[in-house]
């Protein structure tokens, strides 16, 4: 061993430089994207190479079918992607706040519509009208009270009059939503699909508004292009889970507003309203109980807990309303678990899906989600320091924590391209941390992934 002090200093310097390079935002971005793409490729290639039966149609890990094609929406989707790539960053940076929220909604809607229209009007009208979805059942319900009282009894696969897959797999709030659409004359597949897209198009504005309310407008603007357009739009368009994601997003806006107001009664009203929407989310999808992580993240970011009792009251009011009408969430969930494992879930190996689910999330949220998480993790100190950066890191990591919790639960084996849509925007907030030099290439990767996947595989959602 050398006793030369200069050699020791040189070794320390080289080590410091190596660590600095590894911690550099460009390195973290490239590594994060590379890891996600690698997982995506492995999740697709390994089942075919080793003849694994993972039960996800013929394009694992997506629940989709290999079907290369173009359609009437193809030129519009390409044109929209090019336009967004050219002007997206500048518009997000320079437009007034109110106009940015409006333009983000319009752009998100156009992007979803163009992608869906690759399959023509059927890409919108046929999806929610499928026999596994809610609408066909919703049209047949003539007594909502009886439906709620019988709901749990009709979940098991061998029960008389068993519910179709998606109705059985969700609490009755999802079915009630589509019953409501049918009752007001929006019960066709096309009309309901447009409603879902309009609501889904509001999600970027809700995520940005949450950041602004919490004091991070600059980061909201930086994340805007990635919130507006990405591959999740393939499934956001006319998926019931996109509607759930919209309700969750606006519940979060209300909670952020409650946490930042200094006035008592507005805080109470906003807190209760937020709790009502969060409570409704739990009756839209069992997995959205995990939104509690996001709600805590909002309160931590705001350094305020006073809205919590009001939000809990709002959520409990929803629980009480369903219980009074014959549906008990805590009785239904164990029955659902039994049905879940009595069906295809028992044939989907956890050892594959526990990591392949993250690959699916890469297809849905886009490969850039790996960079968003890596960059957020590199700034953990901001959680202590607070400020705008602390808000951003908290919400991004809360989003990823929901993904990990859902993944490890074993109740989301496959199909998470739609199931985890409510988590996507919060994880993508981390794209605000992307280095300037890689922002446009990263956005191009997101848009390109969406165009490629919509044109080579067919998903029933």
């Amino acid at each position: 061993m050398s006793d030369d002090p200069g050699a020791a200093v040189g070794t320390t310097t080289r080590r410091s430089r190596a660590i600095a390079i590894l911690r550099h935002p460009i390195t973290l971005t490239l590594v994060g994207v590379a890891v996600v793409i690698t997982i995506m490729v492995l999740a697709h290639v390994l089942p075919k190479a080793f003849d694994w039966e993972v039960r996800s149609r013929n394009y694992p890990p997506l629940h989709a079918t290999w079907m290369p094609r173009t359609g009437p929406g193809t030129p519009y989707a390409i044109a929209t992607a090019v336009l967004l790539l050219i002007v997206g960053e500048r518009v997000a940076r320079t437009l007034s706040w109110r106009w940015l929220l409006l333009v983000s909604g319009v752009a998100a809607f156009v992007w979803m519509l163009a992608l869906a229209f690759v399959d023509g009007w059927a890409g919108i009208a046929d999806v929610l009208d499928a026999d596994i979805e809610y609408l066909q059942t919703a049209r047949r319900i003539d007594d909502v009270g009886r439906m709620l009282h019988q709901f749990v009894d009709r979940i098991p696969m061998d029960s008389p009059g068993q519910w179709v897959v998606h109705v059985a797999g969700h609490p009755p709030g999802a079915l009630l939503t589509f019953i409501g659409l049918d009752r007001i004359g929006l019960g066709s597949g096309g009309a309901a699909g447009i409603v879902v897209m309009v609501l889904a198009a509001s999600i970027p504005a809700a995520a940005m508004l949450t950041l602004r309310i919490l004091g991070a407008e600059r980061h909201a603007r930086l994340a805007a292009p990635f919130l507006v357009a990405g591959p999740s739009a393939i499934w956001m368009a006319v998926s019931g889970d996109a509607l759930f994601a919209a309700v969750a997003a606006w519940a979060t806006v209300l909670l952020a507003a409650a946490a930042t107001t200094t006035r008592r009664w507005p805080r109470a009203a906003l807190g209760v309203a937020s709790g009502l929407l969060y409570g409704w989310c739990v009756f839209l999808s069992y997995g959205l109980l995990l939104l509690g992580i996001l709600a805590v993240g909002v309160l931590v970011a705001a350094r305020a807990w006073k809205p919590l009792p009001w939000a809990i009251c709002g959520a409990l009011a929803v629980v009480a309303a369903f219980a009074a009408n014959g549906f008990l969430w805590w009785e239904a969930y164990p029955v659902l678990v039994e049905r879940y494992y009595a069906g295809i879930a028992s044939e989907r190996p956890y050892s594959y899906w526990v990591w392949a689910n993250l690959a699916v999330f890469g297809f849905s949220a886009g490969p850039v989600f790996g960079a968003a998480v890596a960059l957020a993790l590199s700034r953990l100190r901001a959680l202590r320091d607070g400020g705008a950066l602390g808000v951003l890191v908290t919400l991004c990591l809360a989003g990823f924590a929901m993904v990990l919790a859902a993944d490890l639960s074993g109740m989301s084996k496959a199909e998470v391209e739609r199931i985890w849509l409510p988590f996507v925007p919060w994880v993508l907030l981390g794209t605000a941390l992307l280095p300037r030099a890689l922002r446009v290439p990263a956005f191009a990767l997101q848009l390109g992934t969406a165009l490629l996947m919509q044109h080579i595989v067919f998903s029933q959602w």
Side-chain angles (χ1 to χ4, degrees):
M1 183 172 67
S2 173
D3 293 327
D4 183 1
V9 171
T11 301
T12 302
T13 301
R14 287 193 296 272
R15 185 181 299 114
S16 298
R17 288 175 178 171
I19 292 172
I21 291 171
L22 290 174
R23 290 178 176 177
H24 195 278
I26 289 180
T27 304
L28 291 170
T29 298
L30 295 176
V31 170
V33 170
V35 167
V36 172
I37 291 177
T38 299
I39 295 173
M40 291 164 65
V41 170
L42 291 176
H44 177 65
V45 170
L46 292 181
K48 293 180 177 292
F50 294 100
D51 198 28
W52 294 347
E53 179 52 74
V54 297
R55 298 302 300 271
S56 67
R57 298 196 170 185
N58 70 358
Y59 198 87
L62 294 174
H63 194 66
T65 304
W66 172 256
M67 189 184 295
R69 68 202 184 282
T70 58
T74 297
Y76 300 104
I78 294 173
T80 302
V82 171
L83 181 63
L84 288 168
L85 189 61
I86 293 172
V87 305
E89 286 273 320
R90 184 167 68 252
V91 167
R93 188 176 62 253
T94 62
L95 210 59
S96 70
W97 181 254
R98 290 183 180 180
W99 278 104
L100 178 59
L101 294 182
L102 177 61
V103 168
S104 72
V106 172
F109 181 84
V110 170
W111 177 238
M112 286 186 287
L113 186 65
L115 288 173
F117 232 75
V118 168
D119 295 311
W121 181 244
I124 299 169
D126 290 359
V127 179
L128 288 173
D129 228 1
D131 56 8
I132 66 169
E133 291 283 354
Y134 311 95
L135 273 178
Q136 291 194 28
T137 301
R139 296 181 193 124
R140 294 193 295 266
I141 300 296
D142 55 13
D143 188 333
V144 170
R146 184 172 61 186
M147 178 272 290
L148 289 172
H149 279 87
Q150 295 177 347
F151 198 88
V152 176
D153 293 336
R154 296 175 66 177
I155 293 175
M157 295 187 68
D158 57 353
S159 61
Q162 64 172 282
W163 299 119
V164 297
V165 174
H166 280 193
V167 175
H170 294 78
L175 180 57
L176 283 172
T177 299
F178 287 92
I179 290 174
L181 288 177
D182 181 59
R183 297 296 191 271
I184 63 174
L186 297 173
S188 68
I194 294 296
V195 170
V196 169
M197 275 197 281
V198 168
L199 292 173
S202 74
I203 294 173
M208 288 188 287
L209 194 54
T210 300
L211 281 184
R212 187 175 192 261
I213 291 170
L214 294 172
E217 178 181 332
R218 176 176 170 272
H219 293 99
R221 289 179 178 274
L222 289 170
F226 297 89
L227 295 170
V228 166
S232 63
I234 297 171
W235 296 279
M236 282 283 187
V238 301
S239 165
D241 296 84
L243 185 152
F244 310 160
V247 177
W250 287 102
T252 307
V253 172
L254 292 172
L255 184 61
T260 52
T261 184
T262 57
R263 293 179 295 172
R264 179 181 179 185
W265 292 115
R267 180 193 302 128
L270 289 166
V272 169
S274 173
L276 288 170
L277 289 186
Y278 275 132
W280 184 250
C281 283
V282 175
F283 285 85
L284 291 171
S285 174
Y286 293 101
L288 292 188
L289 189 64
L290 294 173
L291 287 171
I293 297 173
L294 178 61
V296 169
V298 169
L299 298 177
V300 168
R303 303 291 198 269
W305 296 95
K306 289 183 179 179
L308 183 59
W310 297 109
I312 290 174
C313 287
L316 289 178
V318 178
V319 175
F322 274 96
N325 285 278
F327 177 80
L328 301 178
W329 192 99
W330 52 91
E331 287 186 357
Y333 183 70
V335 179
L336 168 69
V337 173
E338 291 182 10
R339 170 162 178 161
Y340 183 69
Y341 283 100
I344 195 172
S346 63
E347 302 172 27
R348 288 174 169 163
Y350 182 82
S351 58
Y352 169 77
W353 287 108
V354 73
W355 61 271
N357 276 343
L358 298 179
V360 178
F361 194 67
F363 282 105
S364 180
V368 173
F369 103 79
V373 173
L375 291 165
L377 288 171
S378 73
R379 289 163 171 79
L380 284 176
R381 183 179 297 177
L383 298 179
R384 181 192 63 198
D385 297 340
L389 181 58
V391 168
L392 181 77
V393 171
T394 299
L395 296 188
C396 174
L397 295 182
F400 191 55
M402 292 189 290
V403 169
L404 291 180
D407 187 29
L408 295 174
S409 73
M411 287 297 292
S412 295
K413 291 189 288 186
E415 305 177 38
V416 299
E417 59 265 40
R418 62 170 182 82
I419 298 172
W420 290 354
L421 286 176
F423 309 149
V424 169
W426 309 105
V427 174
L428 290 182
L429 291 181
T431 56
L433 300 172
L434 289 168
R436 179 181 293 273
L438 295 181
R439 295 189 62 78
V440 172
F443 191 35
L445 176 61
Q446 293 287 94
L447 296 169
T449 301
L451 290 172
L452 177 64
M453 298 313 301
Q454 179 66 353
H455 285 88
I456 66 172
V457 298
F458 177 79
S459 173
Q460 68 189 79
W461 303 299

